[in-house]
Amino acid sequence: MYTDAASGQLVERIFRLHVVSGPDQGKVFTLDSGTTLVGTHSDNNFVLTDATVSRYHLEIRVKRDGIEIRDLDTTNGTKHAGVRVGQVLISGATRLRVGKHTEMDVEPVDTSVELSAWPSDRFGNVLGRAPAMAKLFALLAKVAKTDVTVMLQGETGTGKEAFADAIHKGSPRANKPFVVVDCGSIPHELIASELFGHVKGSFTGAQNDKQGLIAAADGGTLFLDEIGELALDLQPQLLRVLDRRQVRRVGATEAVDVDIRVIAATHRDLRQMIKDGTFREDLYYRLAVVQAVIPPLRERISDVPALAAYFAEQMGRGEFTPSPSLLDILANHTWPGNVRELRNVVERALSLGDAGLAELAHRHASVHIGGAPLAPAPASAVGSSGASQDILELPFKEAKAALVEDFERDYLVALLARHRGNISRAAAEAGIDRNYIHRLVKKYNLDVDRT
């Protein structure tokens, strides 16, 4: 199963064997999951009559990334692309010669997967009533039942980890580990040890053997959050894990098998990173078998009231009813921090009432660019270090993301105001690519006056 790059349609792929020459010409066999035996003995799944084919000639295994073909030490052998092979993994159409006279085409057969209408506003712990969310829920629920690798793409704060958790809980692996790896928060010098583990004495400070996070996910799901932050020199090692489903600890000489389902997530444009040479193309295609884009909150504003009530219920305030002023601000805000920002706003409103909305209302009033730079936030909302007290009370990862987003947006507003909306001049001053500024303008839904 995969998503078609051109249409975005979910596609299911099966393989079939089609004999194109030899005594059994025209014979067709559809490969099922598991192992298929090919040969002249009647015990085989696919029986041939060519006398130059061995009694048990081929073993074919359907795997998550194609089909594995293994010659069973036969007299006349198996040839792929004109070369005799012992074992080969293929993912597309190819031709095999078995024995002296029989040629078989391995043919992928793709069929579009029809998604049923999603019956509720929940997928795991994710809530959404907008049509785009219902479509996304139906896609991920279908994919969850398989072992296919999923790439979740979405802006910071859209709830990618919650989606990954919902996929895991909707899968046959639900009772096994769900292991989260935040590729952006682990120091570069430690990430190999954290991912792959290490053996005692493999480097300074390695006083004991350590199991890596990949091995810890054995039998379950490995969630690679912010995969775009993974250092380029570590990407080949991860690719080998995905290809072979084996992991070798730092300092070890042997690899061990791991049975994992992989979900990755990023807020970055990985295709652009491939062009820039900072992300491997082969790793991208290994991860992005099924791609799902999580819409930002500004594109599903109709979900905001229900989400606000849901967050209030989670905080033990099920009776929470948003005031008209709160609903007006919620409906008109651009939500650069997405669902995470909404949750923080609800928490402030529950704690401080409408006074807790002052900062949000100020930001909404300051989005338009063209004249003066963004005014500073109210002093009451900002601590001595420049960070709001609410942000300082968040978990580190969320606080860091919120501060980065605030800086990014405020810097961009002031930069464009100085250059009166001229993106080329702004990019030259900031030393960043103008296309990146265009993406930020779109991300924060800024109205740029080019005067």
Side-chain angles (χ1 to χ4, degrees):
M1 190 174 293
Y2 67 97
T3 47
D4 180 70
S7 65
Q9 176 73 41
L10 187 64
V11 175
E12 189 161 23
R13 168 167 288 186
I14 62 172
F15 288 88
R16 68 184 180 190
L17 302 177
H18 178 203
V19 181
V20 294
S21 67
D24 302 290
Q25 185 175 353
K27 196 170 185 177
V28 175
F29 181 82
T30 299
L31 297 173
D32 297 322
S33 59
T35 301
T36 297
L37 289 175
V38 179
T40 57
H41 195 281
S42 60
D43 286 345
N44 287 285
N45 304 99
F46 189 38
V47 180
L48 300 174
T49 61
D50 184 352
T52 66
V53 172
S54 296
R55 288 160 58 83
Y56 297 98
H57 198 103
L58 282 181
E59 180 182 86
I60 302 176
R61 294 179 59 204
V62 178
K63 306 182 73 174
R64 60 170 58 87
D65 49 358
I67 63 172
E68 182 181 81
I69 299 168
R70 185 165 69 91
D71 182 87
L72 300 176
D73 296 325
T74 58
T75 301
N76 293 315
T78 300
K79 290 186 177 181
H80 173 251
V83 178
R84 183 164 178 164
V85 296
Q87 183 173 311
V88 64
L89 179 68
I90 61 173
S91 58
T94 193
R95 178 166 292 186
L96 302 172
R97 175 178 286 275
V98 294
K100 294 182 178 180
H101 308 302
T102 298
E103 288 185 315
M104 296 189 302
D105 280 347
V106 179
E107 301 172 338
V109 181
D110 294 340
T111 55
S112 296
V113 177
E114 296 298 326
L115 300 176
S116 303
W118 190 249
S120 74
D121 61 357
R122 301 288 177 92
F123 176 57
N125 290 324
V126 182
L127 183 147
R129 296 175 179 173
M133 295 299 285
K135 184 177 180 181
L136 182 60
F137 291 170
L139 168 67
L140 295 180
K142 186 78 173 180
V143 170
K145 297 181 176 67
T146 72
D147 261 351
V148 69
T149 303
V150 180
M151 172 71 78
L152 300 173
Q153 295 174 291
E155 295 176 6
T156 299
T158 49
K160 295 184 285 294
E161 184 173 336
F163 273 98
D165 182 64
I167 294 170
H168 172 71
K169 289 178 178 174
S171 76
R173 299 173 179 264
N175 296 324
K176 299 295 183 179
F178 175 70
V179 176
V180 178
V181 179
D182 186 348
C183 299
S185 67
I186 304 175
H188 178 268
E189 63 271 16
L190 296 179
I191 194 166
S193 173
E194 291 293 316
L195 275 177
F196 310 117
H198 64 251
V199 297
K200 180 179 178 181
S202 56
F203 55 87
T204 302
Q207 299 178 354
N208 298 289
D209 289 352
K210 178 180 178 179
Q211 182 187 50
L213 294 171
I214 294 174
D218 189 38
T221 301
L222 179 71
F223 176 49
L224 299 170
D225 196 12
E226 296 303 346
I227 187 65
E229 310 305 317
L230 186 65
L232 189 61
D233 60 327
L234 290 171
Q235 292 176 24
Q237 297 178 57
L238 177 60
L239 181 62
R240 283 194 293 272
V241 172
L242 299 179
D243 280 341
R244 303 173 186 175
R245 287 306 195 268
Q246 291 182 327
V247 61
R248 183 167 61 86
R249 291 185 294 173
V250 176
T253 57
E254 295 183 356
V256 296
D257 294 337
V258 286
D259 173 23
I260 54 173
R261 196 266 180 84
V262 177
I263 303 172
T266 184
H267 72 282
R268 293 190 177 276
D269 183 347
L270 294 185
R271 290 184 180 275
Q272 183 61 47
M273 291 182 68
I274 292 170
K275 293 178 182 178
D276 296 340
T278 56
F279 201 85
R280 289 179 62 105
E281 185 174 20
D282 47 5
L283 178 59
Y284 170 79
Y285 285 113
R286 180 65 72 194
L287 291 169
V289 179
V290 169
Q291 300 179 66
V293 178
I294 303 172
L297 189 54
R298 64 180 174 274
E299 293 181 6
R300 54 183 185 108
I301 290 295
S302 60
D303 280 343
V304 168
L307 283 167
Y310 174 63
F311 290 140
E313 181 181 352
Q314 283 188 319
M315 297 170 194
R317 293 285 298 275
E319 75 284 359
F320 173 71
T321 301
S323 66
S325 61
L326 173 58
L327 285 175
D328 181 63
I329 292 174
L330 297 183
N332 289 285
H333 187 52
T334 54
W335 300 110
N338 291 294
V339 177
R340 180 187 294 131
E341 182 185 3
L342 173 60
R343 190 184 192 284
N344 294 340
V345 167
V346 171
E347 188 170 14
R348 285 199 296 271
L350 291 175
S351 302
L352 304 175
D354 286 353
L357 303 176
E359 185 180 353
L360 181 68
H362 168 78
R363 290 182 186 177
H364 174 67
S366 307
V367 166
H368 186 79
I369 300 170
L374 183 71
S380 60
V382 180
S384 61
S385 67
S388 74
Q389 188 62 37
D390 293 313
I391 286 179
L392 294 177
E393 294 171 356
L394 291 174
F396 175 79
K397 179 181 175 182
E398 294 187 13
K400 179 182 175 182
L403 285 171
V404 169
E405 288 166 357
D406 284 347
F407 162 77
E408 196 173 61
R409 179 188 172 282
D410 292 352
Y411 180 90
L412 183 65
V413 168
L415 177 70
L416 289 173
R418 285 198 300 275
H419 293 281
R420 298 187 177 276
N422 188 308
I423 288 178
S424 295
R425 292 176 183 171
E429 179 190 321
I432 56 180
D433 189 271
R434 64 191 306 275
N435 290 329
Y436 183 62
I437 292 185
H438 278 295
R439 290 199 295 273
L440 290 178
V441 167
K442 182 178 179 181
K443 173 181 177 179
Y444 294 117
N445 199 26
L446 301 179
D447 181 13
V448 181
D449 281 344
R450 296 173 174 82
T451 57

